[in-house]
Amino acid sequence: MTAVTPARAGRGLAADTRDGGRSIGSKATASTAPKPPDQSAGTVLAPLRPVSEAAEVRAITRGTVQASMEVLAGIRPVHQLARRLDPRCLAALQHRAALIRRELTRTGNPALARLHRNSTVRCVRVCEVADGIYEASAVVVDDVRARAVAVRLERSKQVWRIVELVIG
């Protein structure tokens, strides 16, 4: 943001708003001014796509691993991962989260309460195993320690699904 005096600000605002944003005396005419794309002419914009399949898998892995750590911390419900995780992986994650909650209530250990808090995904590496199958690894750091997470993603019906999730 640039600092201007009130007199300049008033003149600049007036110059910007007069004549469609052009200052008085400029040589641009209506015929040379850039026109917005005409949507009524039948031009269809292409849908947004990731730069590459590996970048898409990396983004999915990062988000899913972060959400999985939040499930283990007890700050996210496990059903929010139902679309992304295989039913077997979802059940295993739900079981692990229940074990953590049960052990926390049984012992009341404050170190256990901090175990998965403030988790951050530091890096994600992806590797294509076969066509439509990727394996990824992530490093996650929380308040207590750093851990590794391994993920296997498979494409089925144009949707990426995590079929293996191993949290170290």
Side-chain angles (χ1 to χ4, degrees):
M1 186 168 148
T2 58
V4 295
T5 61
R8 282 189 198 165
R11 274 187 291 170
L13 180 63
D16 287 344
T17 58
R18 282 182 267 150
D19 196 29
R22 290 170 296 198
S23 61
I24 306 266
S26 68
K27 298 290 183 182
T29 63
S31 62
T32 61
K35 296 179 183 177
D38 185 15
Q39 293 296 328
S40 64
T43 57
V44 177
L45 298 177
L48 295 176
R49 297 203 181 269
V51 175
S52 68
E53 196 172 69
E56 180 182 13
V57 168
R58 189 175 299 113
I60 290 169
T61 301
R62 179 177 294 276
T64 306
V65 167
Q66 180 70 42
S68 299
M69 300 309 291
E70 291 170 1
V71 166
L72 294 179
I75 58 176
R76 179 186 291 265
V78 73
H79 68 79
Q80 289 184 358
L81 292 171
R83 290 181 58 223
R84 189 64 68 196
L85 292 178
D86 185 61
R88 191 178 49 80
C89 291
L90 189 68
L93 183 66
Q94 188 173 14
H95 179 70
R96 183 170 175 169
L99 287 176
I100 291 171
R101 281 194 310 273
R102 187 172 68 191
E103 188 66 19
L104 180 62
T105 57
R106 188 180 69 81
T107 63
N109 187 356
L112 189 60
R114 294 181 312 143
L115 188 58
H116 298 285
R117 297 288 177 182
N118 300 324
S119 294
T120 305
V121 179
R122 293 293 174 146
C123 66
V124 176
R125 307 263 189 228
V126 298
C127 176
E128 185 175 15
V129 178
D131 190 35
I133 300 173
Y134 278 81
E135 289 184 352
S137 63
V139 175
V140 180
V141 178
D142 58 31
D143 285 347
V144 178
R145 63 184 231 184
R147 65 183 73 238
V149 179
V151 176
R152 183 178 178 104
L153 295 99
E154 293 181 4
R155 173 169 258 165
S156 64
K157 299 179 184 174
Q158 302 302 317
V159 176
W160 288 104
R161 172 92 26 141
I162 293 178
V163 296
E164 286 293 328
L165 176 68
V166 180
I167 301 173

